Amino acid sequence: NVYTLESKLRQGSSSSNDQHDELAVKTKENQDLRQRLALLNAAKYDAEAEVEALKSERKLLEDDMKMRDLNALHLRESNDKLKKEAASLKKDITKWRAKADELEDAQVQAKNLEDTLEEKCEENKSLHERVRELEADLEKRRCESWRSNARIDTLQDKAHEGLIKINSLSDELENLQQ
């Protein structure tokens, strides 16, 4: 319509002031509409660019959430593994504490045995002393026994000599009696 009006004006047709004003209004409206269309197109491109940016951001957020989910899964698995290791370490600690208690008991027993050994050593010293005394007494008795045996041997020798003399005298007496 605007173009038609403009062309009529160019052809030199006579128009009234109203038509001229109407054409001016329509031209102004056309320019306003073109400006609005340009603004709307620019806004459309901006909106499309923003939609693309938001889609990219949503994709990044989804990827980030997937990574966080994976990290959370890994952390839960690591936490479970650490809990198992902690339980195992607690068992080991309990076992080592029991062994430490056993070692402490063994040390007490060893100390008691050392004390007993000391007592037995003292008793042994006393027994060794008594054995020495008995050995000295035995040696003394042996000496006495050897002296007594020597006296007995001497007396036996004298008795044998006495028997020989008696036999000799007895033979002489028999000879004299014959």
Side-chain angles (χ1 to χ4, degrees), residues 133-168:
E133 290 172 4
L134 290 173
E135 284 175 345
D137 188 49
L138 179 63
E139 190 61 32
K140 182 178 167 185
R141 288 180 188 234
R142 275 188 194 142
C143 287
E144 288 174 5
S145 173
W146 288 335
R147 279 189 226 124
S148 294
N149 284 341
R151 256 188 279 139
I152 289 171
D153 287 344
T154 304
L155 288 174
Q156 282 179 345
D157 288 344
K158 284 184 182 179
H160 185 64
E161 288 173 11
L163 278 174
I164 291 173
K165 281 186 181 179
I166 288 174
N167 284 339
S168 171

Side-chain angles (χ1 to χ4, degrees), residues 5-177:
L5 289 173
E6 283 178 0
S7 65
K8 285 181 182 179
L9 281 174
R10 283 189 198 143
Q11 292 173 0
S13 57
S14 59
S15 58
S16 68
N17 281 340
D18 287 340
Q19 285 179 341
H20 188 276
D21 287 344
E22 188 180 330
L23 179 62
V25 168
K26 294 283 183 184
T27 302
K28 178 69 176 146
E29 285 177 1
N30 191 12
Q31 284 176 348
D32 290 346
L33 286 173
R34 285 181 188 204
Q35 282 180 346
R36 281 183 59 200
L37 181 62
L39 288 173
L40 286 173
N41 280 335
K44 176 186 163 192
Y45 290 126
D46 289 345
E48 287 174 351
E50 191 173 337
V51 164
E52 288 302 317
L54 288 172
K55 283 181 182 178
S56 294
E57 189 176 332
R58 183 176 75 193
K59 175 76 171 115
L60 289 174
L61 286 173
E62 287 172 353
D63 291 345
D64 187 51
M65 289 302 291
K66 286 178 187 174
M67 286 302 295
R68 287 178 188 229
D69 287 343
L70 281 174
N71 286 339
L73 177 66
H74 289 307
L75 287 174
R76 280 192 296 274
E77 289 172 353
S78 294
N79 190 34
D80 291 344
K81 186 177 179 182
L82 287 174
K83 283 180 181 177
K84 288 177 184 174
E85 287 178 9
S88 175
L89 287 174
K90 283 181 182 177
K91 286 180 185 176
D92 288 347
I93 288 169
T94 302
K95 181 174 69 175
W96 286 111
R97 281 185 178 154
K99 287 189 179 197
D101 292 343
E102 288 175 14
L103 180 60
E104 193 174 311
D105 291 345
Q107 287 174 335
V108 168
Q109 288 176 355
K111 176 66 175 133
N112 291 340
L113 288 173
E114 285 175 2
D115 293 345
T116 304
L117 180 62
E118 267 185 48
E119 291 172 9
K120 295 295 180 186
C121 284
E122 288 300 317
E123 286 177 24
N124 197 19
K125 284 180 186 176
S126 296
L127 288 174
H128 275 296
E129 189 62 36
R130 180 71 181 133
V131 165
R132 278 190 217 126
E133 290 172 4
L134 290 173
E135 284 175 345
D137 188 49
L138 179 63
E139 190 61 32
K140 182 178 167 185
R141 288 180 188 234
R142 275 188 194 142
C143 287
E144 288 174 5
S145 173
W146 288 335
R147 279 189 226 124
S148 294
N149 284 341
R151 256 188 279 139
I152 289 171
D153 287 344
T154 304
L155 288 174
Q156 282 179 345
D157 288 344
K158 284 184 182 179
H160 185 64
E161 288 173 11
L163 278 174
I164 291 173
K165 281 186 181 179
I166 288 174
N167 284 339
S168 171
L169 287 174
S170 181
D171 285 345
E172 276 183 39
L173 182 64
E174 252 183 60
N175 284 337
L176 286 174
Q177 283 178 354

